[in-house]
């Protein structure tokens, strides 16, 4: 769909309004009526910009939130070239989830969208981009001689993402970011070579 500048602004306002609602403490089951009330749009406008209805809107919001996950970690995530940069990235992730609290909007969205075509691709694209940034950071540090070359950059990136996602699940259960902090402390110490042996690829 080709949109005018005004149309793009309206569509983005609807997406951001729905995202804000889903970030609230108790979003419940979001309805199109909720979105109309939040964004000041009519039902006709919603179906003009999202002809597939609620599922299409939720997918658009999921893409927005996926982009936001990475945007919130920048510029640190894209510049992991020193230990101080890795620490700043750690703090940016912890700050996001400390502010966000136990409600994970992306998780809530993906639960709501379920098996809708395109839902899996949103998650897969986010994880691939996220993994790429972290792996690139490991390679930058290897090139600088700060991380040994026997560390597998891709597997290390996977470990970080898995740890973050696991920490977020624990946050949703406990309301505490302690698990996220512990994951970062252990993996960063691991990369510095202070406590654990390097991560290597299996034979």
């Amino acid at each position: 769909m080709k949109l005018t500048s005004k149309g793009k602004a309206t569509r983005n306002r609807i997406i951001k309004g729905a995202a804000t609602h889903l970030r609230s403490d108790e979003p419940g089951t979001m309805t199109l009526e909720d979105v109309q009330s939040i964004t000041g749009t009519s039902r006709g406008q919603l179906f003009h910009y999202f002809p597939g209805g609620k599922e299409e809107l939720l997918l658009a919001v999921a893409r927005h939130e996926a982009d936001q996950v990475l945007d919130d970690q920048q510029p640190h995530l894209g510049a992991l070239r020193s230990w101080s940069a890795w620490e700043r990235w750690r703090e940016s992730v912890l700050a996001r989830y400390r502010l966000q609290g136990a409600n994970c909007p992306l998780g809530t969205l993906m639960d709501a969208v379920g098996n809708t075509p395109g839902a899996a691709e949103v998650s897969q694209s986010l994880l691939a981009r996220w993994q790429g940034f972290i792996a690139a950071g490991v390679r930058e540090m290897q090139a600088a001689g700060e991380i040994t070359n026997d560390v597998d950059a891709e597997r290390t990136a996977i470990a970080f993402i898995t740890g973050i996602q696991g920490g977020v699940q624990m946050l949703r259960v406990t309301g505490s970011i302690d698990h996220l902090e512990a994951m970062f402390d252990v993996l960063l110490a691991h990369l510095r070579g202070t406590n654990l042996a390097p991560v290597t690829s299996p034979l």
Side-chain angles (χ1 to χ4, degrees):
M1 178 193 304
K2 279 195 172 184
L3 297 175
T4 63
S5 296
K6 184 178 180 181
K8 289 177 182 178
T10 300
R11 187 176 188 276
N12 288 337
R13 178 164 56 82
I14 294 170
I15 291 171
K16 290 179 180 179
T20 299
H21 177 73
L22 286 164
R23 288 194 204 105
S24 63
D25 292 336
E26 296 182 9
T29 301
M30 187 181 71
T31 65
L32 290 181
E33 287 73 19
D34 291 329
V35 178
Q36 287 177 238
S37 176
I38 295 162
T39 61
T41 51
S42 68
R43 191 172 184 83
Q45 282 179 301
L46 289 182
F47 279 96
H48 172 72
Y49 294 110
F50 304 97
K54 181 180 174 180
E55 289 184 343
E56 183 177 345
L57 171 58
L58 285 173
L59 276 177
V61 177
R63 293 187 188 99
H64 169 79
E65 289 298 308
D67 289 340
Q68 196 65 47
V69 167
L70 299 185
D71 289 347
D72 285 349
Q73 298 174 45
Q74 299 294 4
H76 318 298
L77 181 60
L80 298 174
R81 303 185 187 97
S82 67
W83 291 121
S84 60
W86 282 83
E87 290 294 338
R88 288 192 294 272
W89 172 55
R90 170 188 180 275
E91 287 306 311
S92 73
V93 174
L94 293 177
R96 171 187 170 83
Y97 289 107
R98 190 179 290 116
L99 177 65
Q100 178 176 290
N103 180 41
C104 177
L106 187 59
T108 300
L109 278 164
M110 299 317 293
D111 289 343
V113 174
N115 295 322
T116 300
E121 286 79 1
V122 172
S123 294
Q124 290 165 5
S125 174
L126 167 62
L127 294 176
R129 288 184 290 155
W130 205 349
Q131 182 176 328
F133 279 118
I134 300 170
V138 173
R139 294 189 186 99
E140 291 263 12
M141 296 291 281
Q142 288 175 321
E146 296 288 343
I147 294 176
T148 58
N149 288 329
D150 56 355
V151 170
D152 188 307
E154 294 296 337
R155 286 173 63 81
T156 300
I158 290 171
F160 268 107
I161 293 172
T162 302
I164 291 170
Q165 292 304 299
V168 170
Q169 290 304 311
M170 295 304 293
L171 169 62
R172 296 176 75 178
V173 172
T174 66
S176 169
I177 64 167
D178 289 350
H179 300 84
L180 270 175
E181 288 183 325
M183 178 279 300
F184 271 109
D185 290 345
V186 170
L187 285 182
L188 287 175
H190 171 77
L191 284 183
R192 289 175 184 268
T194 56
N195 295 317
L196 302 174
V199 176
T200 57
S201 299
L203 296 177

